[in-house]
Amino acid sequence: MANVELTSLAKLPTLSKLRKLELSDNIISGGLEVLAERCPNLTYLNLSGNKIKDLGTVEALQNLKNLKSLDLFNCEITNLEDYRDSIFELLQQITYLDGFDQEDNEAPDSEDDDDEGDEDDDDEDEDEAGPPGEYEEEDDEDDGGSDLGEGEEEEEVGLSYLMKEEIQDEDDDDDYVEEGGDEEEGAGGVRGEKRKRDPEDEGEEEED
């Protein structure tokens, strides 16, 4: 809610899970005790560019037990002598004031922290999903099994086809033998007839 000409926090709704609140560049001059009542889990609070003038106004933030970072930059209170030491003494739970700790070490960028958290979540999702190679290998094995089954089916079909051919060949051979026998019998019959006729022919020749 930055730069929306906000003058009071009296109508702030209860947001018990809220961690970060931006209230910069408004016209807030007091009433900060509402924050502890309705946003008790705040860890970051930006009040820079408001009308906060004295330590008494900031004292209400002592009840924000989880507050780690507070921005009061461009507020009149920053003009007080020993401003930083006074705030750190008053609000001992905070680590960073206006972006720096008591030893003037800069606070880490909150956006970078969020990005790191997202990366960690992505890594966890990948771990839970498992290596992609495992599923590919399983698919290959399944494909191999199906190919083998098809090969067996083809082999069975080929054998049955050959068996049918052999049966037909045997039938053809039988037919051939029978036909051959008939021919031989026929031939024998003709020869027999010729042999019967031969003596008569010889008798006729002798009479002549």
Side-chain angles (χ1 to χ4, degrees), residues 150-191:
E150 291 176 0
E152 291 175 353
E153 290 178 1
E154 290 176 359
E155 185 177 352
E156 290 176 359
V157 172
L159 287 172
S160 62
Y161 181 78
L162 291 174
M163 292 295 289
K164 289 180 180 178
E165 283 192 346
E166 290 179 1
I167 293 170
Q168 290 177 354
D169 290 342
E170 291 177 359
D171 293 341
D172 294 341
D173 292 341
D174 294 342
D175 295 341
Y176 177 78
V177 171
E178 292 173 359
E179 290 176 359
D182 293 342
E183 288 179 358
E184 289 181 356
E185 290 176 359
V190 171
R191 287 176 186 172

Side-chain angles (χ1 to χ4, degrees), residues 83-199:
Y83 153 71
R84 289 183 60 81
D85 292 337
S86 300
I87 294 294
F88 277 116
E89 183 177 354
L90 183 65
L91 304 175
Q92 296 183 5
Q93 77 272 31
I94 70 171
T95 303
Y96 299 101
L97 176 61
D98 300 332
F100 293 88
D101 63 12
Q102 283 183 284
E103 284 75 32
D104 291 333
N105 296 315
E106 189 173 2
D109 190 349
S110 59
E111 292 183 359
D112 292 341
D113 293 342
D114 293 340
D115 292 340
E116 290 177 1
D118 293 340
E119 290 177 1
D120 293 339
D121 293 341
D122 293 340
D123 292 339
E124 290 177 1
D125 293 341
E126 289 179 0
D127 292 339
E128 291 176 0
E134 291 182 0
Y135 298 104
E136 292 176 0
E137 291 178 2
E138 291 178 1
D139 292 342
D140 293 341
E141 291 177 0
D142 293 341
D143 294 341
S146 62
D147 292 342
L148 181 60
E150 291 176 0
E152 291 175 353
E153 290 178 1
E154 290 176 359
E155 185 177 352
E156 290 176 359
V157 172
L159 287 172
S160 62
Y161 181 78
L162 291 174
M163 292 295 289
K164 289 180 180 178
E165 283 192 346
E166 290 179 1
I167 293 170
Q168 290 177 354
D169 290 342
E170 291 177 359
D171 293 341
D172 294 341
D173 292 341
D174 294 342
D175 295 341
Y176 177 78
V177 171
E178 292 173 359
E179 290 176 359
D182 293 342
E183 288 179 358
E184 289 181 356
E185 290 176 359
V190 171
R191 287 176 186 172
E193 289 178 357
K194 286 183 179 180
R195 285 176 184 173
K196 289 177 181 179
R197 291 175 184 176
D198 286 342

Side-chain angles (χ1 to χ4, degrees), residues 1 9-23 31-45 60-68 93:
M1 294 185 289
L9 298 176
K11 295 183 180 180
L12 185 71
T14 299
L15 302 167
S16 59
K17 295 182 180 181
L18 188 66
R19 300 297 181 88
K20 182 177 180 179
L21 181 58
E22 292 275 359
L23 295 171
L32 301 183
E33 61 276 356
V34 175
L35 293 174
E37 294 174 4
R38 301 178 187 177
C39 305
N41 290 310
L42 283 180
T43 58
Y44 173 85
L45 177 61
L61 300 178
Q62 287 179 335
N63 293 325
L64 287 172
K65 304 298 182 182
N66 297 317
L67 189 63
K68 299 299 179 185
Q93 77 272 31

